[in-house]
Amino acid sequence: MAWQFCWVVLVVVVAVIGENGRSIRGDVTYDGRSLIIDGERRILFSGSIHYPRSTPEMWPSLIAKAKEGGVDVIQTYVFWNQHEPQPSQYNFEGRLDLVRFIKEIQAQGLYATLRIGPFIEAEWTYGGLPFWLHDVKDIVYRSDNEPFKFYMQNFTTKIVNLMKSENLYASQGGPIILSQIENEYKNVEAAFHEKGPPYVLWAAKMAVGLQTGVPWVMCKQDDAPDPVINSCNGMRCGETFAGPNSRNKPAVWTENWTSFYQVFGGKPYIRSAEDIAFHVALFVAAKKGSYVNYYMYHGGTNFGRTGSAYVTTSYYDQAPLDEYGLIRQPKWGHLKELHAAIKFCSAPLLSGTYTNFSLGESQEAHVFQGKPGECAAFLVNNNSRSATVKFQNQSYELPKLSISILPDCQSEVFNTAKVSSQYNSRSTAPVTRFNSAEQWDTFQDVIPNFEETSTRSDKLLEHMGTTKDKSDYLWYTFSFQYNSSGDNRLYVNSLGHVVHAFVNNLFVGSAHGSHDNGTCTIETSISLNNGMNNVSLLSVMVGLQDSGAYLERRVTGLQKVMIQSKDKTVSQDFTNYSWGYNVGLLGEQLQIYNDEGSNKVQWSDIGNSTQPLPLTWYKTSFDAPSGDDPLVLNLGTMGKGEAWVNGQSIGRYWSSFLIPNGNSSQTLYHVPRSFLKSSGNLLVLLEEFGGDPLQITLETISISRVCGYASESHLPPVTPWVDLMNNKGRHTRQHDRRPRVQLECPPGKVISKIVFASFGNPSGGCESENPILGSCHSSNTRVVVEKACLGKTFCSISLSIGSFDRDPCPGISKAILVVAECISKDLDDPWSNLI
Ligand SMILES: *[C@@H]1O[C@H](CO)[C@@H](O)[C@H](O)[C@H]1NC(C)=O
Ligand SMILES: *[C@@H]1O[C@H](CO)[C@@H](O)[C@H](O)[C@H]1NC(C)=O
Ligand SMILES: *[C@@H]1O[C@H](CO)[C@@H](O)[C@H](O)[C@H]1NC(C)=O
Ligand SMILES: *[C@@H]1O[C@H](CO)[C@@H](O)[C@H](O)[C@H]1NC(C)=O
Ligand SMILES: *[C@@H]1O[C@H](CO)[C@@H](O)[C@H](O)[C@H]1NC(C)=O
Ligand SMILES: *[C@@H]1O[C@H](CO)[C@@H](O)[C@H](O)[C@H]1NC(C)=O
Ligand SMILES: *[C@@H]1O[C@H](CO)[C@@H](O)[C@H](O)[C@H]1NC(C)=O
Ligand SMILES: *[C@@H]1O[C@H](CO)[C@@H](O)[C@H](O)[C@H]1NC(C)=O
Ligand SMILES: *[C@@H]1O[C@H](CO)[C@@H](O)[C@H](O)[C@H]1NC(C)=O
Ligand SMILES: *[C@@H]1O[C@H](CO)[C@@H](O)[C@H](O)[C@H]1NC(C)=O
Ligand SMILES: CC(=O)N[C@H]1CO[C@H](CO)[C@@H](O)[C@@H]1O
């Protein structure tokens, strides 16, 4: 079977060459060392940026910052359910303009990897599959199933043809060097039994048959059929990857998680720059890795209803470029230096011989020996204590859990645990308040009773199959005759994700699940009328699930509804009762969140009501704040719902979902500048639980603080590496080995204040909120630093006695620590004449 398959591929390749008369040199190929582009082996660093998670206006700067960070390749998934919302109806506009995104990558001289999937998971609703697949007869997703294979091939072909028609494959002179088919299929393959393996073979053959002239990968698929490359996903591929499944395939890491996605009710996941650098260096050294992708390099925002179940709108904010595209330090800078250090090793890494040997109990050397004079070494200390090792007759000090990189087998140019990049931190500043009641209009959405519903059934319908994912909301209603009086209890059980209950138009209770357990139950006391009673239950989903086998069989929505007497002795089960359904809220149907739709209902004054009401819409308008700092809405005083700016959804918010320490899991919601006009921007909020819109604010977010640290005990690398490693060499040229602190504010900002400065032995370092002076401190540090830095975008201070008036403590190893504030140039005129 496999042999036959290889033969087919061979014929295809020959046919391509014959037909186009193009030399194979134009195609991207590979061998056991790396991808081969234009006839050359390459070490490639790649960063994931998903085009629908930012805006076309942000793409050029995101890509430029990735390039400056030493990234060679931009990797993206392709988002099927956004591109084909209905069968054969395609959308490639705006944030979905894939061709424009790939061309922007090309314009900046980078390569692209296209992970078509088309199942992608990606914390994207339904894993990227269009929901209409659900109603295709006899479909079983991601298995040897004809209907699924038909649609998968149809979309994959559509995308490949689109790329080909714009000459975007490297084989056509374009930037795309690699493609992916399927996604982490091995995680679910066993569940499909005999329908799994043939599907893998079919997917590989189908993809290869599309003749892109560039290789395909299958991630986490250790038996990916030839010529498809099996690649690794995870945090520690230098340790966990079993390796390519053929000696002729390179070691490719498609997802090295820089952080982790966050869910409502969950904490952000922080992964240190040092830990990421360690595992990247280890993958290159111990697995001969030649392609490493950061998942994510920029996470961005889950706008609209695109996030999967319970996922926050803020996606991988902890990546080297944060949600708004601001550089996150020291992660970005530390990885930039890592990339430069590894690139210096390219020649021996890509063509040398490899050996490894022990340097101690948990220390190892990985050595690549190329042509005479070409030698690169990676010295690994896997101990939780620092170690001094001898390598080729020289001593090296290796901090705990670190790897030193020696591009000439002598000079340490980089150590994964020694961070010399500056640190930075963000802050927000409110620019627009909405605290006057006159600014707001409000509209109470309608609670439909059984009589007003359009769909009827004598049972509880499955939520997704009923809404077809047209809305998060589904009303379940019934009416019933009650012949006595007294207190009663309502019991509602749902598989997700949120349920709000109303009896005779009065709100009686809510419940919600969480990412790990969607089940939720309402048990609340209610009072019934003697006579007809109306019960209306609103089932809400917070994104569809994105992973696991048999996604088409998932069920959500209400499972059981009962009304019981207070002592539970009398109980009536309404599960198989006469139910009426409405998909979506009235405000959604009328699109009252955009300019045109907002005229279709009667809004009222917000009044003096301090009582927050469920299912309330709020409307106001605001002018665009000046400047170009990114903007966020602080919705900390709201509960849960969705927010729109000029008719565009900035996503679902859920500020009232707290993490165990009592903080909200997300209060800041990104408003891209490009969504705004200069004045009269329409802001609409849909609030489910009840919140206080008067206390929300529009805020700018910016890098407001930078911190640099250098110590005598951590010498920078010797020349000639130093000029190359040094921040692009653009500001200073160092020809000495004195450590120096370099501080840089973002473009357009200058250092306005020195918060802390000490030459001596300050403690705390840049990771500390409040560094403190040590026993040794040069009293004129501040004067020296202010002279060098105030009013500047960039400054550099050498850790040398000469810079200061005297040695504050002879014989003691000294360091310099500087914390500074950055402020916009135009906000801070006093300094402008100093520049
Ligand atoms: C996809 O399917 C549609 C409808 O069946 C068909 O018109 C179209 O040509 C197909 N596209 C491709 C690329 O196969
Ligand atoms: C050392 O190299 C050998 C041969 O390539 C390999 O099998 C082994 O896993 C390597 N050891 C380490 C610790 O990487
Ligand atoms: C480092 O040690 C841990 C156990 O403490 C082990 O799991 C891991 O594989 C080791 N890594 C390397 C690179 O040797
Ligand atoms: C290693 O160092 C020792 C003593 O410092 C010296 O005698 C020896 O020649 C050196 N060997 C090499 C290969 O440089
Ligand atoms: C309430 O009374 C109505 C009309 O008499 C009757 O049809 C119904 O079955 C009674 N319901 C209950 C729960 O007793
Ligand atoms: C129940 O709903 C019907 C239809 O909308 C309405 O006529 C009736 O007044 C409602 N009953 C109660 C008690 O709200
Ligand atoms: C999920 O939560 C419900 C309560 O809402 C609980 O009864 C159930 O046991 C939980 N399931 C799991 C798997 O934890
Ligand atoms: C509802 O009906 C289904 C099938 O018709 C049955 O399996 C189920 O037991 C019924 N549930 C209740 C609570 O009556
Ligand atoms: C709000 O309260 C003030 C003072 O109590 C009153 O004068 C005003 O009419 C009220 N406005 C509304 C809309 O109820
Ligand atoms: C909780 O939020 C407050 C205010 O934003 C912040 O100062 C504090 O550090 C947070 N606590 C934790 C444990 O994150
Ligand atoms: C393949 C791999 O390394 N997976 C790991 C990725 O990181 C998560 C979270 O730390 C681990 O649970 C996985 O084992």
Side-chain angles (χ1 to χ4, degrees), residues 286 354 356 364 366:
Y354 167 73
N356 62 37
E364 263 157 25
H366 298 267

Side-chain angles (χ1 to χ4, degrees), residues 444-508:
Q444 195 69 38
D445 210 298
V446 170
I447 299 159
N449 291 323
F450 180 80
E451 307 285 321
E452 291 118 29
T453 54
S454 51
T455 305
R456 298 291 163 83
S457 173
D458 58 2
K459 60 179 187 199
L460 290 172
L461 296 178
E462 194 281 315
H463 182 121
M464 295 177 280
T466 310
T467 61
K468 311 291 181 204
D469 196 34
K470 294 279 185 287
S471 166
D472 284 352
Y473 301 95
L474 178 62
W475 282 108
Y476 290 71
T477 67
F478 66 95
S479 295
F480 79 111
Q481 182 80 25
Y482 183 69
N483 298 346
S484 72
S485 61
D487 286 341
N488 286 278
R489 300 165 55 81
L490 174 68
Y491 172 94
V492 181
N493 177 257
S494 171
L495 285 181
H497 297 143
V498 182
V499 54
H500 303 290
F502 301 83
V503 174
N504 296 325
N505 283 29
L506 289 177
F507 174 74
V508 296

Side-chain angles (χ1 to χ4, degrees), residues 67 391 428 458 544 630 650:
K67 183 179 185 180
F391 173 72
T428 57
D458 58 2
L544 307 189
I650 63 166

Side-chain angles (χ1 to χ4, degrees), residues 257-396:
W257 302 328
T258 52
S259 169
F260 214 61
Y261 63 87
Q262 197 189 340
V263 296
F264 288 117
K267 285 190 296 230
Y269 182 99
I270 317 266
R271 190 180 183 197
S272 72
E274 294 91 322
D275 185 50
I276 300 172
F278 179 90
H279 287 283
V280 171
L282 187 66
F283 182 68
V284 169
K287 303 287 178 186
K288 293 198 235 170
S290 57
Y291 176 106
V292 176
N293 177 68
Y294 297 100
Y295 192 94
M296 301 292 295
Y297 197 79
H298 168 257
T301 309
N302 292 314
F303 296 112
R305 299 169 52 245
T306 59
S308 63
Y310 293 99
V311 171
T312 55
T313 66
S314 176
Y315 189 65
Y316 279 80
D317 178 43
Q318 292 292 326
L321 301 179
D322 74 7
E323 177 180 4
Y324 318 101
L326 302 174
I327 287 174
R328 182 177 288 284
Q329 295 279 44
K331 213 172 257 186
W332 181 88
H334 194 54
L335 296 177
K336 173 190 167 91
E337 289 178 16
L338 168 73
H339 302 152
I342 291 176
K343 286 292 175 73
F344 292 144
C345 308
S346 290
L349 278 177
L350 291 171
S351 57
T353 55
Y354 167 73
T355 49
N356 62 37
F357 47 89
S358 169
L359 298 172
E361 206 185 315
S362 43
Q363 293 82 32
E364 263 157 25
H366 298 267
V367 182
F368 296 82
Q369 194 87 47
K371 291 197 274 272
E374 282 181 4
C375 177
F378 293 75
L379 310 184
V380 179
N381 177 16
N382 192 33
N383 201 301
S384 47
R385 280 203 300 260
S386 69
T388 306
V389 296
K390 264 229 152 34
F391 173 72
Q392 293 192 353
N393 236 9
Q394 270 196 52
S395 277
Y396 296 87

